[in-house]
Amino acid sequence: MIYWDPPHKWIYKLFPVNFVLYLLITFYNIRTLSYYFNGEFELVIKIWSAISIIVPILMLIMHIRERFRRKEQNTVKQLFLIECIGLLELIILSILPVFKVYLAMPMDKGAFNVYMGFLFWCVVFGVSVFFVLFSNYLLVIKERQKYKEENLFFFGQLLSKLKSKTLSMTLICLTLTLSMALFFVTPLLVGWAQGFLEKRVPFDIQISSDYIGMQSGYIGIQSEKELPVTDYSFLDSFIEKNISVRDDCSFKTYFVNKTDFYNQLENSRKNAPPITAISLSDYNHLLKMAGYDEISLRDHEFTTQWLSITPQDAISTYLEAHKSIRTDGGDLQRADISAHTVDLGEDFYNFQSVIYIVPDHICNKLTSANTFRYMMADKTISYDIAQELKSYFENSSLTDSLVTYNITMRTIEVNDNSAIIFIMQTGLTYSAIILFVTCFTILALQQLSDSGKYKYRFRVLRNMGVEEPHIRKLILKQLAVWFGVPVILALILAGAFLVFLIVGFHMQIAVYIGVQRLVQQLLIVLAILGALLISYFISTWVLFNKSASA
């Protein structure tokens, strides 16, 4: 039986922290997940909820058992079981985004962030335990194969440094993981930001109203008479003087039923904003402005326009359950045409993912909800003119209303966000490179720092008759372990993080970035990382050989 090597006692210092965190997450799980055990949720969610409570309890039992065991009984087996339980907890937490996306598992942002923070700790603790286990695993292999070729010397070399370097190897691996994660997430975030900007502001000028007043969380108005009705005509003089407009569309969205407004008015925090409607003629005007083909409907039909990031499963489920709608203008049947997901901005959905498209004569009998005005210019609007128009709009009397009004200019958004995207991309890339280079520099220096000791050891091997090719092979194997183990483990963890992001945000990636484009960027990142790794490895190998043969 292999006992815990005394130099690795630093891992004991993490046990109390791990115990406290697992104790807290156990109570948090019981408090926040108990409501999943009812008939409203699928069986798989209930199973996840049960396991998410049981696994932390198992970890607590292992820690308590470890605390009361005698020192001579502190075996590697105990540590291995703790690592397995930690890995299981990691997997359970990693499944959470999948459940949120594919099973619509309800969980507020605060609870989700708590679990993601605990997942981060599981990674830190798991990597720490891994290197202690790795050291003991090498000791087992040494005992079994120490008389085969130069294994006694090779494992002696590794173990002599691992006794004092497990903590530093742990920190290097975690830093490499962070560096790779930054490398991977940079093209994702940059592409997301650029794609989101293109989808959010497809028109040169977008003016909108918001009766909800989301900044305060409560609806400020008290009756339908206070709902916005302006067509923003007060901007005409400024626009005619400073901007050449190619197309201009003023339109409204409507409550399908007037009661929807009053139901939300009763409790604006509890009741979600209702799904609103837009007239067919206004919708076709927007399609024409954005370069899409127009659609047609019969007098008794409706169709839907969805946010482009809405999952297709969610669209299909909703349409299946809403083959008809009842409006203040009469009942409508869903048209036998596909749901629309063209890019028309994200302002007129009333904080929903869908808006109804209904015939014009129906809208004449509906209550208006919000007013909009979208414009396309003949040429790009200058930044100065855009700022003047925005200031002119913000200084208007509309800002004194209980309704919130907003103007979005493509020129301003592109200029301001381009600067933010550049700073974000530069900062993340620079940080990733610095961390990556620092880790490899430390790994190289760790091998080259004891050059005098290595000279003596390899001289002894030569005096024993070991040929030079065998010595070079030993050096290559030793460097492969020191560089390979932390790099491979970091690559696995960073890859898991990337999969975590892709699964959790696959719709945003598909819509804002494009899978092919993201894959190309990630391959470029991997090529850069590979080039850096090979450069450091070869440089260290050459210098090590010179030092050992001097």
Side-chain angles (χ1 to χ4, degrees):
M1 183 177 290
I2 302 299
Y3 293 97
W4 204 331
D5 206 6
H8 305 314
K9 287 184 177 179
W10 61 270
I11 197 71
Y12 276 120
K13 297 179 181 179
L14 296 181
F15 279 15
V17 177
N18 195 55
F19 179 84
V20 171
L21 291 177
Y22 267 90
L23 183 64
L24 293 176
I25 203 68
T26 300
F27 288 123
Y28 192 83
N29 286 341
I30 295 173
R31 185 179 67 87
T32 61
L33 301 181
S34 58
Y35 70 89
Y36 289 128
F37 292 92
N38 58 59
E40 297 180 13
F41 302 100
E42 297 186 31
L43 179 62
V44 66
I45 294 181
K46 297 177 182 179
I47 294 175
W48 183 90
S49 304
I51 295 176
S52 66
I53 296 174
I54 293 172
V55 172
I57 292 176
L58 290 177
M59 180 66 82
L60 294 175
I61 293 173
M62 291 300 298
H63 278 307
I64 295 172
R65 182 186 177 191
E66 172 68 31
R67 176 68 180 83
F68 290 100
R69 287 169 71 95
R70 291 180 297 176
K71 289 186 178 181
E72 61 269 19
Q73 292 179 318
N74 288 332
T75 63
V76 177
K77 181 179 179 181
Q78 179 84 358
L79 192 59
F80 178 75
L81 290 174
I82 290 176
E83 178 77 336
C84 290
I85 295 173
L87 180 61
L88 183 58
E89 178 70 10
L90 233 169
I91 294 172
I92 291 169
L93 294 175
S94 300
I95 293 175
L96 186 56
V98 180
F99 280 16
K100 285 180 66 67
V101 171
Y102 294 101
L103 300 178
M105 181 177 180
M107 180 172 288
D108 61 73
K109 186 179 294 184
F112 186 80
N113 291 338
V114 168
Y115 287 117
M116 293 305 100
F118 188 67
L119 185 146
F120 174 76
W121 166 255
C122 290
V123 171
V124 173
F125 184 75
V127 171
S128 302
V129 175
F130 170 82
F131 278 101
V132 177
L133 288 174
F134 177 70
S135 177
N136 283 277
Y137 177 69
L138 289 180
L139 186 60
V140 172
I141 297 178
K142 177 186 175 183
E143 293 298 321
R144 292 178 179 177
Q145 302 183 13
K146 61 183 177 181
Y147 298 116
K148 182 180 179 181
E149 296 181 347
E150 297 87 12
N151 281 349
L152 184 62
F153 175 84
F154 173 67
F155 287 110
Q157 287 274 88
L158 294 177
L159 290 169
S160 64
K161 290 188 72 70
L162 273 176
K163 286 181 180 180
S164 58
K165 300 296 183 182
T166 49
L167 178 58
S168 64
M169 291 291 284
T170 298
L171 295 176
I172 287 172
C173 181
L174 290 172
T175 307
L176 279 174
T177 302
L178 176 60
S179 174
M180 292 182 184
L182 290 176
F183 267 121
F184 289 155
V185 82
T186 298
L188 192 149
L189 290 179
V190 171
W192 189 335
Q194 292 173 339
F196 177 70
L197 179 60
E198 294 173 2
K199 302 288 184 182
R200 188 172 67 89
V201 193
F203 303 98
D204 291 321
I205 302 174
Q206 295 179 189
I207 307 173
S208 62
S209 66
D210 170 22
Y211 72 90
I212 299 176
M214 291 300 289
Q215 292 180 351
S216 63
Y218 290 101
I219 300 177
I221 60 179
Q222 297 299 315
S223 72
E224 61 183 277
K225 295 181 180 180
E226 298 176 293
L227 287 166
V229 294
T230 180
D231 59 359
Y232 310 102
S233 57
F234 64 92
L235 297 174
D236 289 347
S237 59
F238 181 94
I239 292 172
E240 291 174 1
K241 182 179 178 182
N242 297 283
I243 300 173
S244 177
V245 177
R246 175 164 53 91
D247 207 342
D248 186 347
C249 179
S250 295
F251 64 97
K252 297 178 181 180
T253 56
Y254 303 86
F255 294 108
V256 175
N257 297 283
K258 185 186 298 185
T259 54
D260 292 340
F261 167 68
Y262 287 102
N263 289 337
Q264 189 188 5
L265 190 64
E266 292 178 3
N267 192 336
S268 56
R269 286 192 182 274
K270 181 179 179 181
N271 300 327
I275 297 175
T276 52
I278 183 174
S279 70
L280 177 62
S281 59
D282 288 334
Y283 181 72
N284 279 331
H285 194 170
L286 293 178
L287 289 177
K288 181 181 177 182
M289 289 174 65
Y292 298 104
D293 295 333
E294 298 182 1
I295 67 169
S296 60
L297 291 173
R298 296 178 181 176
D299 289 345
H300 63 282
E301 291 182 335
F302 78 98
T303 187
T304 52
Q305 161 69 32
W306 295 80
L307 276 173
S308 54
I309 61 172
T310 308
Q312 190 60 45
D313 291 345
I315 295 177
S316 300
T317 301
Y318 183 88
L319 294 180
E320 186 64 26
H322 294 79
K323 296 182 179 180
S324 64
I325 58 173
R326 177 166 295 180
T327 75
D328 290 337
D331 295 344
L332 298 175
Q333 301 296 318
R334 180 162 54 84
D336 190 20
I337 56 177
S338 302
H340 304 278
T341 57
V342 296
D343 299 321
L344 298 175
E346 300 186 354
D347 287 341
F348 59 77
Y349 290 93
N350 201 37
F351 301 98
Q352 292 284 351
S353 299
V354 61
I355 188 170
Y356 295 127
I357 305 164
V358 301
D360 289 28
H361 71 90
I362 296 293
C363 291
N364 294 332
K365 302 175 183 178
L366 302 182
T367 303
S368 64
N370 284 309
T371 60
F372 303 85
R373 186 174 183 181
Y374 288 0
M375 287 174 272
M376 294 291 287
D378 284 326
K379 60 181 181 180
T380 302
I381 303 172
S382 69
Y383 189 82
D384 291 339
I385 295 298
Q387 286 286 16
E388 286 184 29
L389 177 58
K390 185 175 182 179
S391 299
Y392 186 83
F393 179 84
E394 291 175 348
N395 292 330
S396 68
S397 59
L398 291 178
T399 56
D400 297 330
S401 171
L402 294 174
V403 177
T404 301
Y405 292 91
N406 182 60
I407 183 170
T408 303
M409 310 281 292
R410 181 189 287 177
T411 298
I412 296 177
E413 294 297 316
V414 169
N415 278 270
D416 293 351
N417 284 279
S418 295
I420 295 173
I421 291 172
F422 175 77
I423 293 172
M424 176 178 65
Q425 184 175 18
T426 303
L428 291 175
T429 304
Y430 178 78
S431 300
I433 291 175
I434 291 297
L435 292 174
F436 203 77
V437 170
T438 300
C439 289
F440 281 137
T441 302
I442 293 173
L443 284 173
L445 290 176
Q446 282 182 346
Q447 298 306 302
L448 300 174
S449 59
D450 298 332
S451 58
K453 186 187 302 182
Y454 290 136
K455 287 180 184 179
Y456 172 76
R457 291 177 178 177
F458 286 108
R459 190 181 303 122
V460 171
L461 278 184
R462 292 188 183 93
N463 293 336
M464 294 172 62
V466 179
E467 297 178 354
E468 198 65 33
H470 281 280
I471 292 178
R472 287 197 293 268
K473 183 180 178 181
L474 283 172
I475 294 174
L476 186 63
K477 287 169 61 178
Q478 181 175 324
L479 292 180
V481 171
W482 285 107
F483 277 85
V485 173
V487 170
I488 292 174
L489 182 58
L491 192 60
I492 292 173
L493 292 173
F497 172 70
L498 183 61
V499 172
F500 177 88
L501 292 178
I502 291 175
V503 171
F505 304 99
H506 69 284
M507 281 302 302
Q508 289 85 343
I509 291 172
V511 173
Y512 295 143
I513 306 173
V515 176
Q516 184 177 358
R517 178 185 173 190
L518 180 62
V519 170
Q520 291 174 348
Q521 293 176 336
L522 292 176
L523 289 176
I524 293 173
V525 168
L526 285 174
I528 294 173
L529 295 181
L532 284 172
L533 173 58
I534 292 171
S535 299
Y536 265 92
F537 185 82
I538 293 176
S539 301
T540 307
W541 183 60
V542 171
L543 293 174
F544 198 107
N545 275 304
K546 288 183 178 180
S547 176
S549 60

